[in-house]
Amino acid sequence: MADLLLREDDAGVATLTLNRPAARNALSLALLEAMRDALAALAGDRAVKAVVITGAGPGFCAGHDLRELTEARNDPDRGRAFFEVTMARCAEVMQAVATCPKPTIAAVNGIATAAGCQLVASCDIAIADPRARFCTPGVNIGLFCATPAVALSRAVARRDALEMLYTGDLYDAAHAQRIGLVNRVVGEGQALAEAKALATRIAERPASVVQGGKAAFLRQEGLTLPKAYADAARVMVEQLLAGASEEGIGAFLEKRAPVWPQD
């Protein structure tokens, strides 16, 4: 059986490809566990500076595997145990993407629905193909997209999130860009290349600065304004005392390219 998740590393960028194209890369329990393990490995891999997530074939990710969930209804508990494990694994994966020490970029090459839309919203940045489509269609099948709502509500404005969740409608890439679900829409077939190019540019920056900055950004989101500024000021002082800023500021003042110290 082909690997459910593919990993390719190049110039400090790791690309993870969901590899169930015939199922529009639906998140089976096995695929979720493969993603969980891969993200854990990437978090500790010093050679990786940025992560791109995409889907094989014409779709990005169609959400949970409904056939697998339906089969579990035949279990003695009507699927409760399987449903609980699946949702727990999904929560682990989405949190691992959002809190990954490395910047995460979604290359949305096609449809991203339900938990697939959640995956896009969980990434730091998203680049979309103009043919990409987005929705949280749970209400259409009697299942409110409660877990996708967690990521969606943190990525877009409250009213935009609720419209998607209440209607289950399918939205095009231009709409996703307008509401902030994706950063930009690129040419047909170019989402992955653009995402990799962006990831490569990020990977060229000092890893300690980018990763420390992401950690600080995530912390300040949950703090009051005074505490957020206090924490951010502490981070700035520590970075000013570090070698990367000494070299970077010196290079700027001397009008030369910086030579970053090894992290």
Side-chain angles (χ1 to χ4, degrees):
M1 184 176 69
D3 290 339
L4 295 173
L5 185 70
L6 306 177
R7 173 176 167 176
E8 178 187 5
D9 289 24
D10 182 39
V13 176
T15 300
L16 296 180
T17 303
L18 312 185
N19 192 34
R20 300 186 68 209
R24 292 294 191 271
N25 304 311
L27 297 174
S28 63
L29 180 57
L31 176 52
L32 286 169
E33 291 179 339
M35 293 177 69
R36 178 197 59 186
D37 295 345
L39 288 162
L42 286 170
D45 191 335
R46 292 175 61 85
V48 173
K49 309 298 176 60
V51 179
V52 172
I53 299 176
T54 194
F60 177 75
C61 177
H64 287 292
D65 188 329
L66 297 182
R67 294 185 184 279
E68 185 176 70
L69 294 176
T70 298
E71 288 173 4
R73 293 186 186 278
N74 295 318
D75 296 345
D77 63 354
R78 298 185 58 246
R80 176 179 288 275
F82 185 80
F83 300 159
E84 288 177 346
V85 169
T86 298
M87 295 306 154
R89 292 292 178 275
C90 186
E92 288 179 41
V93 168
M94 300 303 168
Q95 290 176 83
V97 171
T99 63
C100 179
K102 324 299 171 71
T104 53
I105 303 173
V108 192
N109 53 307
I111 195 163
T113 63
C117 188
Q118 180 183 3
L119 181 56
V120 175
S122 297
C123 288
D124 298 330
I125 297 171
I127 308 298
D129 187 287
R131 297 165 294 185
R133 296 293 182 269
F134 305 81
C135 71
T136 48
V139 291
N140 298 328
I141 57 172
L143 184 70
F144 192 83
C145 282
T147 47
V150 175
L152 188 63
S153 66
R154 286 160 170 76
V156 306
R158 182 176 185 271
R159 287 183 173 85
D160 291 316
L162 287 171
E163 181 180 348
M164 291 184 70
L165 292 162
Y166 289 161
T167 66
D169 288 346
L170 194 66
Y171 295 90
D172 63 18
H175 179 86
Q177 183 179 20
R178 282 196 299 274
I179 67 173
L181 182 55
V182 303
N183 293 69
R184 59 180 175 271
V185 181
V186 297
E188 287 192 11
Q190 295 302 307
L192 181 56
E194 291 283 345
K196 284 184 174 181
L198 176 57
T200 299
R201 294 212 311 277
I202 293 171
E204 291 169 352
R205 275 59 175 179
S208 60
V209 175
V210 173
Q211 293 171 29
K214 176 173 179 176
F217 184 90
L218 293 175
R219 282 197 307 274
Q220 65 83 29
E221 287 184 306
L223 298 175
T224 63
L225 191 63
K227 289 182 179 180
Y229 270 113
D231 185 72
R234 178 190 58 79
V235 171
M236 292 292 287
V237 169
E238 293 302 319
Q239 291 199 346
L240 281 166
L241 291 170
S245 70
E246 185 176 4
E247 168 61 16
I249 293 170
F252 176 80
L253 294 175
E254 295 165 15
K255 297 180 172 53
R256 60 174 175 81
V259 180
W260 301 118
Q262 294 297 312
D263 289 308

